[in-house]
Amino acid sequence: MHPDWVTGFQDETWWSRLAQPNLHTFSTVDAPLQLEQKHLAENDVDPKALACYGVLMRGQAGTADRVWLRFVDGRPLSSLTCQFLASISAKLAAEGKTAWLLIWDNASWHTSKDVREWVRQQNRQVKAGQVRGVRIVVCFLPSKSPWLNPIEPKWVHGKRRVLEAARVLSADEIEQRVCATKGCPRESHLAISAELS
């Protein structure tokens, strides 16, 4: 592959504050590990789960894979997907990349008319030198094939690593732990602007 191109596998996930991931552990027969059923306090105003966009950038020529994350106010939508793609495109351009082979699933907020039009517009503007970014070549994974996306195991392992056996973590704690486990900085949430809502 051309040294100025990059392959990125994109997906979204929910980081639950209550649900416990499936775990396997060694323990003695007389002291098995017990996970407690969690409940939110009545005065808890944080959401039960946090939506998050992520992209796994495949390393080239001996470089390590990287994960970039952005949390979302609400749930994944086409407009937020465009914001996420724009932020990643700008990061890649700052690294001197010129093209991004984007591999993702067929979620409705990936295949929507708005997202397809945004990608077309982005590619036109980058080619014409009107915006700083990278050209995006979209490749869809076959339906119902999450095992083909290498970011999926990153979500599973991440959920196990941020686990708290008995205590409900705040939304802020979840974000801090997730970003720490993925080795990426915390960034502002993707949100729909007030004019659009």
Side-chain angles (χ1 to χ4, degrees):
M1 184 164 43
H2 192 282
D4 292 342
W5 299 353
V6 65
T7 301
F9 295 87
Q10 196 276 327
D11 195 28
E12 302 80 20
T13 194
W14 289 87
W15 298 88
S16 175
R17 296 176 54 221
L18 300 174
Q20 300 284 14
N22 292 331
L23 295 172
H24 304 284
T25 184
F26 291 101
S27 63
T28 61
V29 175
D30 57 333
L33 178 67
Q34 297 290 321
L35 295 177
E36 297 181 14
Q37 179 68 38
K38 297 178 182 178
H39 301 283
L40 292 179
E42 288 184 23
N43 61 350
D44 192 328
V45 296
D46 284 348
K48 290 181 182 178
L50 299 131
C52 177
Y53 281 83
V55 63
L56 170 67
M57 291 299 178
R58 215 22 122 181
Q60 290 179 283
T63 60
D65 291 350
R66 298 176 291 167
V67 176
W68 289 335
L69 303 174
R70 290 289 296 272
F71 284 87
V72 175
D73 287 342
R75 62 184 181 86
L77 299 168
S78 296
S79 61
L80 299 177
T81 301
C82 295
Q83 288 180 43
F84 180 71
L85 295 177
S87 70
I88 298 300
S89 176
K91 283 183 183 184
L92 292 172
E95 292 181 355
K97 303 297 181 191
T98 58
W100 172 18
L101 177 60
L102 168 62
I103 302 170
W104 60 7
D105 60 27
N106 292 283
S108 61
W109 51 88
H110 297 166
T111 60
S112 73
K113 181 181 175 185
D114 291 344
V115 170
R116 288 178 300 170
E117 182 54 37
W118 184 90
V119 170
R120 275 194 291 275
Q121 192 68 14
Q122 166 78 2
N123 289 342
R124 278 190 215 111
Q125 290 176 340
V126 167
K127 188 174 181 179
Q130 296 170 338
V131 297
R132 182 160 167 76
V134 297
R135 290 183 52 235
I136 301 172
V137 178
V138 175
C139 297
F140 289 100
L141 293 168
S143 295
K144 300 180 183 176
S145 58
W147 61 88
L148 293 176
N149 192 338
I151 198 170
E152 292 282 353
K154 304 279 186 196
W155 297 142
V156 173
H157 295 302
K159 289 175 183 181
R160 291 176 181 160
R161 290 185 74 187
V162 301
L163 173 71
E164 185 81 29
R167 187 171 66 88
V168 175
L169 299 173
S170 69
D172 188 59
E173 288 174 310
I174 293 276
E175 283 188 48
Q176 286 177 359
R177 289 184 181 195
V178 168
C179 290
T181 63
K182 301 302 172 204
C184 60
R186 284 179 75 179
E187 297 188 44
S188 61
H189 283 207
L190 298 171
I192 297 174
S193 64
E195 309 88 66
L196 297 176
S197 55

